[in-house]
Amino acid sequence: MINLLHAEWIKLRSVTMNMVLGIIAVVFPLLVTLITAGVSGDKPDFDTRTLLDLLTGSSFVTVLLVGVIAAAVITSEFGFGTIRPAFAATPRRVRVLVAKGIVVVAAAMFIETVVVAIGLGVGTSLATSRGAAIDLGSVPTAVPALVGVVVLAGLAALVAYGLGMLVRSTPVAVVTFILWPLLAEGLVGALIAVVTGSDSVVNWLPFQSGFRLALVNVDDLGPGRLASGLYFGAVGAVLAAFGGWSVNKRDA
């Protein structure tokens, strides 16, 4: 398994698209957070919660981008036929799929951890240099939210990886993964709200529930932080399991 993990890591980092998306996934939220902290740190309403909201909110872009990487990691192998030599070298396909899944989830969480660490450290320094009072201890949900956004990145990568195994097409997997949280769940939630008369239903949809992991303030209209993580993780696990099953049953 160690050799498989090493091989999958080499594949992941040797693809130019993955490196470019990874860089954007790190740079974008950091630019938003650090520029805002540097410019607005002297305003009376800029405090710890503002910095946390900036960092976790802009990190949703990172979550989507690492998901795109995770989907493309498997779909590109089917598209170019490079999955065949891997399966020929390791006849037990599940070992290859598990190794690939571990690598993409770990990479997604690492990227988000870098964003959180740099954003929090440098953002705090910039804001305090402008006179803002930044103290994580003043916000009880600060650490859960920061840990939550890292976990969210890993779970989103798992969901995207499962989709990739199911559809085997990079455009279809990427478009589905992007539009699912940004468009589909909103439309479905609105429709259900009209039928049921409850606006809280949308918070129970998979991605909307998963996003609650990274909220500084989690309201009572949906699942709590832990329940959200377990729910969204279960969705990712089911997709990955079903995707792995379909790969085993179909020709490479």
Side-chain angles (χ1 to χ4, degrees):
M1 179 59 75
I2 297 299
N3 290 335
L4 281 174
L5 290 171
H6 185 250
E8 294 303 330
W9 166 242
I10 292 174
K11 291 179 185 178
L12 178 67
R13 63 181 174 83
S14 61
V15 177
T16 303
M17 184 192 77
N18 294 342
M19 296 301 295
V20 172
L21 289 178
I23 291 171
I24 296 172
V26 171
V27 171
F28 178 81
L30 289 181
L31 282 178
V32 172
T33 301
L34 300 184
I35 289 175
T36 305
V39 172
S40 303
D42 58 346
K43 294 183 178 180
D45 58 348
F46 193 98
D47 55 12
T48 306
R49 193 176 299 275
T50 306
L51 179 61
L52 291 171
D53 285 336
L54 271 172
L55 186 55
T56 56
S58 58
S59 288
F60 288 144
V61 174
T62 303
V63 170
L64 293 178
L65 289 177
V66 296
V68 171
I69 294 173
V73 159
I74 184 66
T75 56
S76 60
E77 290 234 46
F78 282 110
F80 291 105
T82 54
I83 197 71
R84 296 190 185 97
F87 286 161
T90 309
R92 292 180 61 185
R93 294 183 176 185
V94 67
R95 290 172 58 86
V96 177
L97 299 177
V98 168
K100 196 181 294 292
I102 291 174
V103 168
V104 297
V105 170
M109 295 181 71
F110 175 77
I111 289 173
E112 188 58 64
T113 300
V114 170
V115 172
V116 169
I118 297 177
L120 185 61
V122 180
T124 298
S125 297
L126 288 173
T128 52
S129 69
R130 300 280 290 174
I134 305 297
D135 178 16
L136 288 183
S138 65
V139 182
T141 56
V143 174
L146 294 174
V147 173
V149 75
V150 174
V151 174
L152 174 60
L155 296 181
L158 182 63
V159 169
Y161 182 60
L163 282 173
M165 286 190 288
L166 283 172
V167 302
R168 297 191 177 192
S169 166
T170 300
V172 174
V174 170
V175 169
T176 301
F177 177 75
I178 295 295
L179 293 185
W180 182 356
L182 297 184
L183 181 62
E185 286 195 352
L187 294 175
V188 171
L191 179 61
I192 295 176
V194 170
V195 174
T196 63
S198 173
D199 293 331
S200 65
V201 175
V202 67
N203 293 318
W204 291 90
L205 296 175
F207 265 96
Q208 301 307 315
S209 178
F211 286 157
R212 292 168 68 83
L213 274 168
L215 295 180
V216 179
N217 291 323
V218 180
D219 56 43
D220 297 327
L221 297 179
R225 199 183 306 274
L226 178 59
S228 295
L230 293 174
Y231 175 32
F232 192 51
V235 172
V238 168
L239 281 173
F242 189 55
W245 175 83
S246 69
V247 169
N248 271 324
K249 292 297 182 180
R250 297 159 64 186
D251 292 335

